[in-house]
Amino acid sequence: MNAILLPTSSVAQPGGPAWRNGPQQWGLLALGLAALVACHWAGLVFMVATWQGVEEYSYGWFVPLISIFLVWQRSDELRRLELQGSWWGLPLVALSLLLAAVGHFSAIRSISQYGFVLGLVGLSLGCVGAQGTRLIRMALVVLLFMVPLPQFVLRELSHGLQLLSSQLGVALIRQFGISVFLEGNVIDLGSYKLQVVEACNGLRYLFPLMVLGFLGAYFYRGPWWQRLVIVASTIPLTIAINSLRIGLIGVTVEYWGAQMAEGLLHDLEGWFMFMVCLALLIGEMALLARLDPQRRGLGGLLALEIPAPAPPGAALQLRRTGAASLVVLALLGGAAALALATPEQQLRKPARQAFTEFPLSLPGGWLGRPDRIAPDILAVLAVDDYFIANYARPSAPWVNFYTAYYASQSGGQSSHSPRTCIPGDGWAILSIEPVTIALESGASMQVNQAVIQKGELRQLVYYWFQQRGQVMTGEYEVKWGILRDAMLHDRSDGALIRLVTPVLAQEGQAAAEQRLSDFLRSLQPRLRAFIPD
């Protein structure tokens, strides 16, 4: 392979001007960066804590270092430019500060985190101008990878990948002639059941592989479509390798026992599969390089350049600090002083009754028998309080009532949508639509009605979200409600309510709908003490 660490050729000619920053420029730039960090401090602290505590984002520590390296790579080209600040940085910094304020008063940290990256773009435009920002644009874009996805987006993506990986893994197991049954995310081998948990969803491969794919495409000097293929291929590549891992675990468990799916060996399998992903990505780049008409090979198409030193005889000149830079830095400094003087937002948690006091006897003859959720599932749900029980009337089928309450939904934890959780438990959603239910008070409310099936079993589900006295059926409507309530009402608490009953062959769906409607009418007036208005 050809050498790929070569000085860039796009440098100043001998005797040409070379520009540099003086102590004043470096000092002002450092103060501007410190002020931007101060404005987004709470969001950045939460982001670093996520890197520390969530394995899917543990790669986040390296992203700022990668960005610094990419800027350093362009230092010789930056040296050729005088780099006057641009006034376009001012509106971007102002928008960044607005996002910081929204993130602060709503306590939704993702808003502030994305605002921080936007603020870095604005600071770059304000201090080094459009030309300089264009040179380091990829160093700024790569910073988006360090921002964790909003929790509800991560959860939806995780559940989808779990289901897909389980299905593909089971298909591989069957190729070995092994009898296996898949129920949601549970792979039943007969003698042993494999639970495809969130840790096996493939995101621990996908996110860092996407960063590496982005960098590979950036350094790859081929056609734009080949670069796009490199980045886009990280997704199917991750899914395929993760499914292969799950399938191989199932095969090895069948022949060598349950220890193949546990402990250190299980963790080493994960690292090995990630290295396989990386090797395949490099192999893909090598195959694309063979399409190069000049036959330069992969080494000839990779531009891992190191910056060239200042050319001999270059006249070093100090850059000047323009008016745009000073205004942008003054805006950041004033905002930072205001942010430091403003106490951290603490959302109010309204008084309520705990679900331990929820009645097991409801009007209409409904008698309940309480149930419990397994500790591992409860850890994933991360609820502040919950209640689950089976209610029934004499000689009538049961109704399962479940509700999960979150005292604060701004930090990322919020209700898990049944649209995601139901398939994960092995049920197929046959239909889902909003329906209107008449209440005892004469009013009405809208809920989601879903018909689900597993094998020969069929069930009817009603579910809705309730927060600050409002009933909602849309998952994204709930997210907007969380933001609105946090900013306007200083709270973000809320709950999911779900009712389930069997659809018996001898009675039909209409009877199941009537049963759930009757139970809902008895239930709704009693929720207010436990889910405050």
Side-chain angles (χ1 to χ4, degrees):
M1 182 178 290
N2 298 332
I4 55 178
L5 282 173
L6 299 173
T8 177
S9 60
S10 54
V11 297
Q13 296 300 318
W19 298 88
R20 69 180 179 87
N21 290 333
Q24 179 187 27
Q25 284 80 15
W26 284 117
L28 289 174
L29 187 60
L31 288 174
L33 181 58
L36 187 64
V37 169
C39 293
H40 296 271
W41 179 252
L44 295 178
V45 169
F46 191 83
M47 181 173 69
V48 172
T50 303
W51 298 349
Q52 183 70 30
V54 181
E55 289 194 36
E56 283 82 355
Y57 293 109
S58 58
Y59 70 92
W61 297 98
F62 300 100
V63 175
L65 300 178
I66 293 171
S67 180
I68 293 171
F69 171 78
L70 295 180
V71 173
W72 171 78
Q73 257 201 321
R74 297 293 188 178
S75 59
D76 54 351
E77 297 180 61
L78 292 170
R79 193 187 304 122
R80 302 172 58 199
L81 304 173
E82 187 177 358
L83 297 180
Q84 289 294 317
S86 168
W87 288 102
W88 284 107
L90 189 60
L92 291 184
V93 168
L95 181 56
S96 168
L97 296 176
L98 175 62
L99 294 176
V102 172
H104 173 80
F105 289 108
S106 68
I108 299 179
R109 306 307 183 194
S110 295
I111 296 175
S112 180
Q113 292 161 8
Y114 285 111
F116 176 73
V117 177
L118 181 64
L120 288 175
V121 178
L123 182 61
S124 174
L125 281 170
C127 292
V128 303
Q131 281 185 303
T133 301
R134 191 178 300 113
L135 282 176
I136 63 172
R137 63 187 182 277
M138 289 305 173
L140 296 170
V141 170
V142 78
L143 290 174
L144 291 172
F145 287 105
M146 74 179 180
V147 179
L149 290 174
Q151 188 67 27
F152 76 97
V153 176
L154 180 67
R155 189 166 58 234
E156 298 288 330
L157 181 60
S158 175
H159 282 298
L161 286 176
Q162 280 177 268
L163 287 172
L164 182 56
S165 297
S166 300
Q167 293 165 358
L168 294 176
V170 164
L172 176 62
I173 293 172
R174 287 173 177 157
Q175 293 302 311
F176 285 83
I178 298 172
S179 177
V180 59
F181 177 71
L182 177 65
E183 186 175 273
N185 291 321
V186 178
I187 300 175
D188 190 348
L189 295 165
S191 59
Y192 190 83
K193 289 186 178 182
L194 293 173
Q195 175 74 43
V196 182
V197 297
E198 289 193 348
C200 298
N201 57 23
L203 292 179
R204 294 182 185 177
Y205 306 156
L206 177 60
F207 292 155
L209 196 67
M210 286 184 70
V211 175
L212 295 174
F214 177 85
L215 291 175
Y218 171 68
F219 291 125
Y220 186 83
R221 291 296 181 259
W224 67 268
W225 67 267
Q226 291 186 357
R227 296 185 180 191
L228 185 61
V229 166
I230 292 170
V231 176
S233 65
T234 58
I235 299 174
L237 188 61
T238 302
I239 294 173
I241 293 300
N242 192 52
S243 302
L244 175 63
R245 178 196 179 196
I246 291 172
L248 290 179
I249 289 175
V251 172
T252 54
V253 165
E254 175 72 12
Y255 289 107
W256 292 290
Q259 67 273 12
M260 304 301 297
E262 300 170 352
L264 179 62
L265 184 60
H266 179 268
D267 295 335
L268 290 176
E269 289 170 349
W271 278 104
F272 176 76
M273 286 301 180
F274 177 75
M275 298 308 295
V276 171
C277 282
L278 183 57
L280 290 175
L281 184 65
I282 295 173
E284 175 191 352
M285 294 172 63
L287 287 175
L288 290 172
R290 294 178 65 87
L291 301 177
D292 178 39
Q294 300 180 24
R295 297 292 180 182
R296 288 173 290 177
L298 181 57
L301 286 174
L302 286 179
L304 290 173
E305 302 161 343
I306 61 173
L316 294 178
Q317 301 184 46
L318 289 178
R319 295 189 177 101
R320 295 169 296 175
T321 303
S325 302
L326 293 175
V327 172
V328 166
L329 293 172
L331 176 61
L332 280 172
L338 183 61
L340 293 173
T342 304
E344 185 177 351
Q345 181 76 355
Q346 296 292 335
L347 295 180
R348 179 169 56 91
K349 296 182 180 180
R352 57 178 289 273
Q353 285 183 261
F355 278 126
T356 53
E357 303 177 39
F358 196 86
L360 292 174
S361 176
L362 296 177
W366 295 98
L367 296 178
R369 186 177 62 185
D371 200 354
R372 304 292 295 175
I373 296 178
D376 57 334
I377 298 177
L378 202 58
V380 173
L381 295 175
V383 297
D384 291 296
D385 195 9
Y386 81 96
F387 182 78
I388 185 168
N390 289 314
Y391 285 81
R393 291 182 289 198
S395 303
W398 50 265
V399 170
N400 178 265
F401 163 47
Y402 165 72
T403 179
Y405 177 79
Y406 294 84
S408 173
Q409 301 180 91
S410 297
Q413 296 298 339
S414 59
S415 303
H416 290 220
S417 172
R419 289 178 184 265
T420 303
C421 298
I422 288 172
D425 200 29
W427 292 85
I429 299 178
L430 303 182
S431 66
I432 186 166
E433 60 183 351
V435 296
T436 300
I437 308 297
L439 302 177
E440 290 181 339
S441 62
S444 63
M445 62 178 286
Q446 192 175 71
V447 302
N448 289 311
Q449 175 183 285
V451 179
I452 63 176
Q453 185 166 343
K454 181 194 291 186
E456 299 297 322
L457 301 178
R458 183 171 292 196
Q459 294 182 348
L460 185 70
V461 181
Y462 283 178
Y463 76 89
W464 67 95
F465 305 92
Q466 191 163 319
Q467 53 194 50
R468 208 175 58 78
Q470 296 182 315
V471 172
M472 305 177 187
T473 56
E475 284 79 359
Y476 290 98
E477 178 189 6
V478 172
K479 305 310 172 186
W480 169 248
I482 292 170
L483 175 61
R484 179 199 60 217
D485 290 348
M487 295 192 66
L488 300 181
H489 304 285
D490 196 29
R491 53 185 283 197
S492 65
D493 54 295
L496 162 73
I497 298 95
R498 187 198 68 197
L499 311 177
V500 183
T501 194
V503 178
L504 303 180
Q506 61 268 31
E507 63 174 12
Q509 183 174 322
E513 292 176 3
Q514 184 63 51
R515 185 162 55 249
L516 282 191
S517 299
D518 290 346
F519 183 79
L520 190 155
R521 282 188 279 269
S522 297
L523 171 73
Q524 183 64 10
R526 283 140 195 93
L527 289 176
R528 180 169 296 177
F530 304 88
I531 307 172
D533 290 348

